[in-house]
Amino acid sequence: FEKDDINRLTAYGENLLMSLCMRNGDTYLDLDDFKKHLNKNIGQYLVDEDGIIERLIMHRLAYIEENRIYHISQYDAEIYISKYLAFFPQQHLKEVDINTAQNAISSVQENLAIKYDQDQLQAIMSFYENDLLIITGGPGTGKTTIVKAMIKTSELLYSNYNINLVAPTGRAAKRLTELTGCEAKTIHSLLLWDKETGKFAKDENDPLNVDILIVDEFSMVDQYLFYNLLKACGLLKKLIIIGDADQLPSVAMGTVLKDLIESELFKVIKLDKIYRQKEGSDIIYLAKDIKNEEVTKIPTNNEIRFFECDKTDIKDITLQIVEHALNKYETLEEGFMNVQVLAPKHKGVNGIENLNVALQKKFNPYTKNKRQLQVGYRTFRLGDKVLQLKNQPDDDVYNGDIGIIVEVIFASEDHNNQNRIIADFEGRIVEYTHDTFSNLAHAYCMSVHKSQGSEYPIVILPMSLEYSIMLQKRLIYTAVTRAYKSLIFVGQKEAFFKGIVAKEMSLRKTTLKQRLIDEVNFYEQI
């Protein structure tokens, strides 16, 4: 195509629209702003921006509503989600009277040797009283205890119905399985991602045989993924959504959990009481104080430490702390999977990239006998701790999963003359070639966003004023809640206190909440 070819410019326009929405997590752009971006990027090839926008609409690549322009995927998602939930469910489970439910709960309490308090009992009963239920709360507030009770009582009262548990990431699904004793899958696995078509095999034409669906870590679920999940749930009769509304929103577009809660259309159980009184409870109370803006000082005890230093010393002290933490484990690999450094920003002296280079050099240094492969500016070495950057459903690895490089194969040794990296993601062996190398990064230090859905015994959190606008209350809260035994801050206390009072500079643009309200109001008038 010539540079001014209309088809080329139209394709660029669609890509630009999606990229701009992804940048801030918005589901739409102001039309005038989009025109300015079009003119700035390809204005020298355009007669006028309106012509490209008309073609985007004509080819159903975008949609305009009032002064908003949506990528068609986000517009379709908002429309479908709002209509689906307004009419949900199409069929109901059999009714369970209060006495029968209470007897089932009593039986579960006896079998599990547990005593639910009044708040927990009310939440469990809400499961039987509502077709769509949202449970939100911070760490230690008993979300998993309630979910387990719902599952166990359902096995008694809904024995003929299919119950599925899902989470957005592999680590979150694995953790849910361990905590509930019931198998949980990733959403991608449940929907059967099809590599050949680049789509989910399960949809409205081939729906899931699921009656009750429980979705954990829902704050991580973006609008388009939720849309695809609901498209496959035409037979669904009960939907339970669990998440922490105070965590960071999904990496991709939308604020689905926030929109569902703020619409006030669905039953929401807000858990605030902290039940966990064992190891890690001090971290939970700090998280609660951050959420409620009640932090006056940083507690320092066996679980929480703050090593105060100048920003120029953060890297070296972090290395010392990581070394001490790794020594607690029998093998380096075990230590890598249990000790995690988190940072808010990629660039800078104390950014993720620099810290990864320093941590790799310290804990997996180059030796003549250790194989390594240069990929762009990164050096991947045998034994490296690595991070999956994108979903690869075919290999059952997902954005945020952590693995260890177990083999490096050079092109000269390969029958296809390709360099290869083999990584072990807790038993899932995944092979990478030059087509997928970009899906890997080092994971000695990772972003707070990538850590969502995971918990680590030991979390080390650098605090530097150089992180500037990235230091926000929601980000620090999310980082703190990743630790469940030990939380170690390194750096400037001023950065911590500045961050915990800083709100997001701009809220994500989405119209899902209003669509839900309008759709329900319309449905009620029919």
Side-chain angles (χ1 to χ4, degrees):
F1 292 115
E2 295 295 329
K3 287 186 177 182
D4 61 351
D5 183 273
I6 191 65
N7 294 306
R8 181 177 180 273
L9 296 178
T10 302
Y12 183 87
E14 182 202 4
N15 182 265
L16 180 64
L17 177 58
M18 180 63 92
S19 299
L20 291 170
C21 286
M22 273 294 293
R23 182 188 298 174
N24 296 317
D26 298 328
T27 63
Y28 69 87
L29 295 178
D30 293 328
L31 183 57
D32 292 339
D33 287 343
F34 180 57
K35 287 181 179 180
K36 289 176 184 175
H37 282 288
L38 268 179
N39 190 55
K40 178 181 176 183
N41 286 273
I42 52 175
Q44 68 268 38
Y45 306 117
L46 291 176
V47 176
D48 70 316
E49 302 89 5
D50 291 331
I52 293 297
I53 292 171
E54 286 174 9
R55 285 182 60 83
L56 290 174
I57 306 303
M58 181 178 69
H59 291 286
R60 208 171 186 276
L61 300 171
Y63 191 90
I64 291 177
E65 189 176 65
E66 297 178 359
N67 196 43
R68 302 183 295 269
I69 182 166
Y70 301 77
H71 188 275
I72 197 63
S73 62
Q74 294 303 312
Y75 178 77
D76 285 348
E78 284 197 2
I79 295 294
Y80 192 94
I81 292 168
S82 57
K83 287 185 181 295
Y84 180 98
L85 295 182
F87 287 87
F88 181 77
Q90 299 286 347
Q91 303 174 52
H92 294 269
L93 294 173
K94 68 176 184 180
E95 285 191 23
V96 174
D97 62 71
I98 293 176
N99 290 334
T100 303
Q102 288 176 340
N103 289 337
I105 293 168
S106 297
S107 176
V108 169
Q109 286 186 114
E110 187 176 334
N111 290 336
L112 296 178
I114 192 171
K115 181 71 175 176
Y116 303 120
D117 68 15
Q118 201 57 42
D119 291 341
Q120 290 173 318
L121 288 170
Q122 182 184 349
I124 298 164
M125 283 301 300
S126 294
F127 172 76
Y128 293 97
E129 297 165 351
N130 299 274
D131 298 314
L132 195 159
L133 176 66
I134 300 171
I135 301 173
T136 181
T141 55
K143 296 191 296 293
T144 306
T145 300
I146 291 167
V147 170
K148 192 170 183 177
M150 291 174 177
I151 294 167
K152 295 301 179 185
T153 54
S154 292
E155 289 172 353
L156 297 174
L157 302 176
Y158 293 139
S159 58
N160 294 325
Y161 292 104
N162 292 323
I163 304 172
N164 277 70
L165 280 69
V166 293
T169 68
R171 287 181 71 89
K174 182 182 178 184
R175 181 169 157 269
L176 184 59
T177 299
E178 292 168 349
L179 293 173
T180 62
C182 301
E183 183 190 5
K185 296 181 177 181
T186 62
I187 296 174
H188 284 76
S189 294
L190 183 70
L191 296 180
L192 302 178
W193 176 258
D194 189 326
K195 185 178 182 179
E196 298 301 319
T197 63
K199 297 178 181 179
F200 294 108
K202 291 295 182 180
D203 56 18
E204 60 267 56
N205 298 315
D206 184 15
L208 296 162
N209 184 23
V210 178
D211 301 297
I212 302 169
L213 183 64
I214 299 173
V215 188
D216 196 18
E217 293 290 353
F218 195 81
S219 63
M220 298 173 64
V221 177
D222 64 84
Q223 184 165 277
Y224 192 66
L225 182 57
F226 190 44
Y227 159 60
N228 279 286
L229 180 61
L230 293 185
K231 281 205 299 180
C233 286
L235 304 177
L236 190 66
K237 301 168 183 67
K238 191 177 286 287
L239 175 61
I240 311 300
I241 288 170
I242 304 147
D244 187 346
D246 294 296
Q247 282 191 25
L248 290 167
S250 58
V251 174
M253 286 88 91
T255 52
V256 185
L257 181 59
K258 175 175 175 285
D259 291 339
L260 295 181
I261 293 172
E262 291 185 358
S263 72
E264 299 182 349
L265 297 170
F266 313 105
K267 176 68 176 178
V268 178
I269 299 288
K270 294 184 178 180
L271 303 173
D272 193 53
K273 180 179 177 181
I274 293 175
Y275 292 91
R276 196 186 300 173
Q277 298 299 330
K278 54 181 181 179
E279 200 172 29
S281 59
D282 290 328
I283 297 168
I284 292 169
Y285 281 107
L286 174 60
K288 184 177 181 181
D289 288 344
I290 290 172
K291 180 179 75 172
N292 296 331
E293 299 183 358
E294 295 174 352
V295 179
T296 54
K297 65 177 184 177
I298 302 168
T300 51
N301 47 49
N302 289 333
E303 292 178 3
I304 303 172
R305 303 289 298 278
F306 200 116
F307 291 89
E308 193 169 8
C309 64
D310 188 75
K311 66 180 182 180
T312 56
D313 297 320
I314 288 175
K315 181 182 71 175
D316 291 337
I317 293 177
T318 296
L319 291 175
Q320 293 174 35
I321 293 168
V322 171
E323 183 173 26
H324 179 73
L326 290 175
N327 287 335
K328 296 177 182 288
Y329 297 91
E330 289 186 9
T331 66
L332 195 61
E333 183 176 322
E334 184 187 3
F336 282 163
M337 301 309 289
N338 288 281
V339 178
Q340 188 59 58
V341 181
L342 301 177
K345 192 176 178 181
H346 283 273
K347 302 295 183 181
V349 176
N350 297 302
I352 293 165
E353 292 175 8
N354 269 356
L355 288 173
N356 264 321
V357 170
L359 288 160
Q360 183 196 39
K361 183 178 179 180
K362 174 76 174 176
F363 300 109
N364 192 28
Y366 168 75
T367 64
K368 287 184 178 179
N369 297 324
K370 188 172 283 187
R371 290 182 163 226
Q372 65 180 35
L373 197 63
Q374 192 71 31
V375 179
Y377 65 88
R378 293 190 177 107
T379 302
F380 288 111
R381 191 170 293 146
L382 193 67
D384 266 343
K385 178 181 180 180
V386 288
L387 172 70
Q388 181 71 19
L389 298 176
K390 293 182 180 179
N391 292 331
Q392 283 181 219
D394 300 309
D395 297 308
D396 198 28
V397 288
Y398 301 91
N399 188 354
D401 283 354
I402 292 175
I404 302 291
I405 293 180
V406 293
E407 192 173 357
V408 174
I409 300 170
F410 301 127
S412 58
E413 306 164 330
D414 182 67
H415 64 279
N416 288 323
N417 197 36
Q418 289 191 92
N419 290 317
R420 297 179 187 272
I421 293 173
I422 315 295
D424 182 353
F425 289 86
E426 299 182 277
R428 291 162 292 156
I429 306 300
V430 183
E431 182 179 287
Y432 298 84
T433 62
H434 77 279
D435 291 332
T436 50
F437 284 154
S438 61
N439 292 352
L440 273 185
H442 292 104
Y444 300 100
C445 178
M446 61 194 287
S447 71
V448 179
H449 276 92
K450 293 291 185 187
S451 72
Q452 280 188 272
S454 300
E455 285 187 337
Y456 309 93
I458 302 173
V459 168
I460 299 156
L461 190 59
M463 280 284 121
S464 172
L465 288 171
E466 74 175 277
Y467 296 143
S468 59
I469 60 171
M470 295 301 293
L471 285 171
Q472 296 175 2
K473 172 185 167 182
R474 196 179 290 269
L475 183 139
I476 294 176
Y477 171 84
T478 303
V480 166
T481 57
R482 299 309 91 207
Y484 67 85
K485 283 187 180 179
S486 181
L487 173 66
I488 304 163
F489 294 96
V490 186
Q492 300 167 290
K493 285 188 176 180
E494 183 185 350
F496 172 82
F497 284 107
K498 178 183 176 183
I500 60 174
V501 296
K503 307 292 193 299
E504 293 99 328
M505 294 188 68
S506 61
L507 296 175
R508 290 186 171 189
K509 296 175 182 176
T510 166
T511 45
L512 178 60
K513 180 178 109 175
Q514 191 57 50
R515 282 193 206 284
L516 282 164
I517 294 169
D518 292 344
E519 202 65 46
V520 169
N521 288 339
F522 175 76
Y523 173 65
E524 289 176 347
Q525 292 171 10
I526 296 176

